[in-house]
Amino acid sequence: MENKKSFYGWKVAAGSFIILAMPFAVIFLSHSIFLTPVTQALGFTATQFSLVFTIVAIATAIMSPIMGKIIRKYDVRYIMALCGAVVSISFAAFGLARELWQFYLLSAVLGAFATGITQIPISYIITNWFPSKKKGVATGIAFSGGNLGAFCTILTISNLMPKIGYEKCYFLLGGVMLVVTVLVSLFVIKEKPSDLGQKPYGDEEVKVVNKKSTASEELTGYTFKEAKSSSVFWVYVVAIVLLGVVFAGVQMHIPSYMQSIGHSASFASTVTSIVSIMGILSNVLIGMLLEKAGLKLGMSIIGIAMIASIVCLLLGKTALFAILFAVIFGAFVAIAAMGPSYLTSEIFGKKDYGTILGTVIMFFQFGGAVGPTLSGFIYDTTGAYKITWIIFIVLLVITFATFLFAFNLASKHRKAD
């Protein structure tokens, strides 16, 4: 038996960490730092430029099911390298854009090709290497790259932008993304253990000459057709949509809320930073929790913690509760990033994982697009966030109860089979 240290899956997890620290973090978690500089320089309104983020989310949602099928048909390394190159060049091209339609067009391209370099291929690869044992830890390591990347990007670009301008910051980030994504995709990422003569983590290591999957790597679980025709899938999708609504609805409005209840901009930034810092650790902690405690108990603990965090947010006028919110919310926020991929593989298996996950991500993105708009609408209508947070507490109860219902349905289906 080979030494465990030689198991290549951990290098795949590390490579995934690096990739998610760049395109995923830059596009989905830290692009908002360009909002004020771009709108001031080009005369756009905040609403006009914010549509860039919405277009990215919609394009990602539409393309996700398609990308889920593509990664099953072709070598995932080349798909990731190609998509990484297109995404990087498109992001850098924002620095050349001067008209709104140019930003919108680039956003559509960015969102569509981002599906081939972020959650879907990474989750697919991690599941191949860690189908059961240590999957939570490996997924957590990979997805923690997003939080660390966002933190470093915001810190670096916020300091650079006043000195070199937003255009050069776009060029810089696009260039770094291009080098990182292409090199890591081609030279670090490996689609499955048999490509290197290994077996998934937890199985006995054997030499495999053929790159095709061996009998021990036979895929189990649902096909996409079986999944979408089952009640399990649609109950699960409801929970996923609600998860996207609540997490995006809270996270995007934290600074605005803190200032609306009398805290300074600097305190609001501190609270946001604490959420980001805790989020770096959150992915591994959530992965370990779900792996050790199981889906039902693990998700129950996460649900209770998230409800407690929003209660603290309601009491956020007191600085102590605001900080407590940031610590608790940040510690469990990773369920929104890695949850869809981890839970989907646990419920539906590997047989058609890429296609099922792509569809799940589509619904999650739609929920994520609705959340911030809902929060903003309620605030504009009532002049406060209190009603928003109460609604989100209720939605969290429904969300995690729905997840538990989906797990129970899945267990019954497995017993029936």
Side-chain angles (χ1 to χ4, degrees):
M1 182 181 291
E2 294 182 26
N3 191 306
K4 283 286 183 183
K5 291 183 180 179
S6 67
F7 180 66
Y8 194 81
W10 294 114
K11 293 180 181 177
V12 171
S16 300
F17 172 94
I18 294 170
I19 286 179
L20 288 176
M22 286 308 303
F24 180 75
V26 171
I27 296 166
F28 296 105
L29 302 179
S30 53
H31 191 187
S32 58
I33 60 175
F34 285 89
L35 191 151
T36 300
V38 172
T39 53
Q40 288 179 348
L42 300 179
F44 305 148
T45 66
T47 302
Q48 288 173 326
F49 189 74
S50 294
L51 193 54
V52 165
F53 313 133
T54 303
I55 292 172
V56 169
I58 292 173
T60 301
I62 293 172
M63 188 64 185
S64 290
I66 300 171
M67 187 57 68
K69 294 179 180 179
I70 291 174
I71 63 172
R72 289 291 303 275
K73 294 182 178 180
Y74 305 101
D75 192 320
V76 73
R77 296 174 302 160
Y78 299 126
I79 294 170
M80 291 176 67
L82 174 62
C83 290
V86 174
V87 163
S88 302
I89 293 168
S90 299
F91 192 83
F94 277 134
L96 301 174
R98 292 295 178 267
E99 303 291 335
L100 273 173
W101 70 266
Q102 295 170 339
F103 279 95
Y104 295 162
L105 178 61
L106 289 169
S107 298
V109 174
L110 195 69
F113 281 87
T115 58
I117 192 64
T118 51
Q119 297 112 307
I120 295 173
I122 295 299
S123 300
Y124 172 71
I125 294 163
I126 292 294
T127 300
N128 284 344
W129 282 90
F130 301 88
S132 55
K133 192 175 180 182
K134 296 295 181 182
K135 179 169 63 178
V137 175
T139 303
I141 289 172
F143 277 83
S144 62
N147 297 94
L148 181 60
F151 181 77
C152 294
T153 297
I154 292 171
L155 187 64
T156 304
I157 298 303
S158 295
N159 286 309
L160 275 179
M161 206 175 297
K163 300 173 183 176
I164 66 175
Y166 79 86
E167 297 97 332
K168 290 181 180 177
C169 287
Y170 272 127
F171 299 153
L172 176 63
L173 286 175
V176 173
M177 278 197 292
L178 179 62
V179 173
V180 169
T181 55
V182 172
L183 291 181
V184 174
S185 296
L186 293 178
F187 300 108
V188 178
I189 296 298
K190 302 294 179 185
E191 183 173 344
K192 54 187 180 293
S194 59
D195 291 345
L196 294 178
Q198 295 189 349
K199 295 184 71 177
Y201 190 91
D203 291 352
E204 185 181 358
E205 296 288 324
V206 296
K207 291 185 178 180
V208 181
V209 177
N210 195 328
K211 285 192 174 184
K212 299 293 183 181
S213 296
T214 63
S216 64
E217 288 181 292
E218 286 179 2
L219 304 181
T220 59
Y222 291 71
T223 64
F224 178 62
K225 184 178 179 180
E226 291 169 342
K228 71 178 183 179
S229 64
S230 71
S231 57
V232 178
F233 180 78
W234 295 107
V235 171
Y236 175 64
V237 160
V238 170
I240 285 292
V241 171
L242 291 175
L243 186 71
V245 169
V246 174
F247 274 81
V250 172
Q251 197 159 17
M252 295 296 286
H253 285 264
I254 294 171
S256 174
Y257 170 65
M258 288 298 158
Q259 293 181 70
S260 75
I261 57 176
H263 292 299
S264 66
S266 127
F267 182 80
S269 295
T270 299
V271 171
T272 306
S273 296
I274 293 173
V275 171
S276 297
I277 293 169
M278 292 299 298
I280 296 171
L281 303 173
S282 176
N283 288 275
V284 177
L285 293 175
I286 292 292
M288 292 176 65
L289 173 63
L290 292 175
E291 194 172 283
K292 297 293 183 183
L295 292 186
K296 293 181 182 179
L297 179 57
M299 289 297 282
S300 297
I301 293 171
I302 294 167
I304 292 169
M306 294 314 304
I307 291 168
S309 74
I310 307 304
V311 171
C312 290
L313 191 62
L314 264 173
L315 304 172
K317 195 163 187 177
T318 302
L320 177 61
F321 281 108
I323 297 297
L324 194 56
F325 153 76
V327 171
I328 300 174
F329 186 80
F332 291 91
V333 73
I335 192 61
M338 64 171 284
S341 62
Y342 184 88
L343 298 175
T344 299
S345 67
E346 287 292 290
I347 295 174
F348 300 104
K350 290 177 60 182
K351 185 175 287 185
D352 209 355
Y353 176 62
T355 307
I356 296 172
L357 177 62
T359 305
V360 168
I361 293 294
M362 176 186 71
F363 284 107
F364 182 74
Q365 289 287 354
F366 281 133
V370 169
T373 305
L374 177 62
S375 297
F377 174 76
I378 296 174
Y379 177 73
D380 289 339
T381 304
T382 65
Y385 282 96
K386 183 177 180 180
I387 294 176
T388 307
W389 305 148
I390 293 173
I391 290 173
F392 282 173
I393 288 173
V394 174
L395 287 180
L396 277 172
V397 173
I398 296 172
T399 299
F400 284 89
T402 306
F403 272 124
L404 294 179
F405 184 41
F407 301 154
N408 285 331
L409 281 177
S411 296
K412 289 178 181 178
H413 278 229
R414 278 193 288 269
K415 289 178 181 177
D417 294 339

